[in-house]
Amino acid sequence: AQSVTQLGSHVSVSEGALVLLRCNYSSSVPPYLFWYVQYPNQGLQLLLKYTSAATLVKGINGFEAEFKKSETSFHLTKPSAHMSDAAEYFCAVTIIQGAQKLVFGQGTRLTINP
Amino acid sequence: NAGVTQTPKFQVLKTGQSMTLQCAQDMNHNSMYWYRQDPGMGLRLIYYSASEGTTDKGEVPNGYNVSRLNKREFSLRLESAAPSQTSVYFCASSMSQGSYGYTFGSGTRLTVV
């Protein structure tokens, strides 16, 4: 079965600094990988997804993630943090066999310091 | 607006009461899902419906039942609510297979006292 581990339940960066949110996955077959963002009191919004095409994936709001099979990682980055990036971020994995069931990581809460 | 609609948005129940959470999508998606979100635990799958007429247990199904009423609607029922079911519940939908990811509703915040 597939699983996801997000390293760090809380990450704090200064405005303008690099954002790096870590995600490692486990899957016995080639995975599809996703990053979602959740703003306070809202549902989850898709940031970006990896679907076995380009390993560097660009998403909304300046975020991107790189799929590294050798490291089983899919870390999320943004070169320059903005106050509006403060939210909770979830990494998720699925395999395309049978019903498409997303398995989520525990989430990382990102705080931006002025 | 197209998307996933959940009702109600907030609910307080007494222990032992029952209730049904409603979910409807208008994107012609085949698959629908119910998740619960608890602090530090991410989202955990309760039940899912891969297609109309089918339902299956997820990771944490105990204490819940579901009904896939038609292609658009997927309800979650708590027959006898317990404080451990205090959580935020999210409904989601997706195409049956593929790389599309999910579309989520805005959630139902349930408190059981």
Side-chain angles (χ1 to χ4, degrees):
Chain A
Q2 62 270 36
S3 65
V4 170
T5 301
Q6 291 183 239
L7 301 177
S9 57
H10 290 90
V11 171
S12 181
V13 303
S14 298
E15 190 174 18
L18 171 71
V19 175
L20 171 60
L21 304 183
R22 300 178 186 274
C23 172
N24 288 90
Y25 70 92
S26 172
S27 177
S28 58
V29 298
Y32 286 5
L33 293 156
F34 303 82
W35 275 99
Y36 283 85
V37 60
Q38 184 182 32
Y39 298 104
N41 300 313
Q42 295 188 25
L44 277 72
Q45 178 183 1
L46 181 66
L47 265 181
L48 50 79
K49 60 185 179 184
Y50 166 75
T51 59
S52 73
T55 57
L56 181 63
V57 180
K58 294 186 184 299
I60 62 172
N61 301 336
F63 285 92
E64 63 181 35
E66 186 172 9
F67 173 69
K68 292 186 176 180
K69 184 178 179 180
S70 61
E71 299 178 7
T72 61
S73 69
F74 190 56
H75 301 332
L76 182 70
T77 60
K78 182 174 180 177
S80 178
H82 191 273
M83 296 299 291
S84 61
D85 294 327
E88 189 152 20
Y89 293 79
F90 293 93
C91 183
V93 63
T94 189
I95 58 173
I96 308 305
Q97 289 179 354
Q100 183 195 29
K101 293 183 291 180
L102 275 177
V103 175
F104 287 85
Q106 309 93 309
T108 298
R109 183 167 299 279
L110 176 64
T111 301
I112 311 298
N113 301 314
Chain B
N1 292 333
V4 178
T5 303
Q6 291 184 236
T7 56
K9 293 189 183 301
F10 301 93
Q11 184 71 49
V12 179
L13 289 179
K14 294 182 179 179
T15 298
Q17 286 185 320
S18 63
M19 79 162 294
T20 299
L21 282 64
Q22 306 287 352
C23 175
Q25 54 90 9
D26 58 5
M27 297 170 288
N28 202 35
H29 284 171
N30 291 313
S31 302
M32 298 185 73
Y33 312 82
W34 277 105
Y35 283 85
R36 60 177 290 173
Q37 182 181 22
D38 302 290
M41 304 189 74
L43 279 78
R44 293 179 292 168
L45 183 63
I46 305 171
Y47 271 93
Y48 67 98
S49 171
S51 60
E52 186 179 357
T54 68
T55 61
D56 284 288
K57 295 179 180 179
E59 182 185 359
V60 289
N62 291 343
Y64 305 95
N65 285 300
V66 290
S67 295
R68 183 73 183 266
L69 305 171
N70 48 56
K71 190 171 186 179
R72 290 186 63 248
E73 299 173 286
F74 188 40
S75 62
L76 178 71
R77 183 162 178 82
L78 287 71
E79 291 291 351
S80 179
S84 60
Q85 294 178 305
T86 293
S87 187
V88 181
Y89 292 85
F90 287 100
C91 178
S93 67
S94 73
M95 298 304 287
S96 57
Q97 290 191 28
S99 61
Y100 303 101
Y102 290 3
T103 300
F104 281 86
S106 57
T108 296
R109 188 174 296 273
L110 175 67
T111 302
V112 182
V113 298

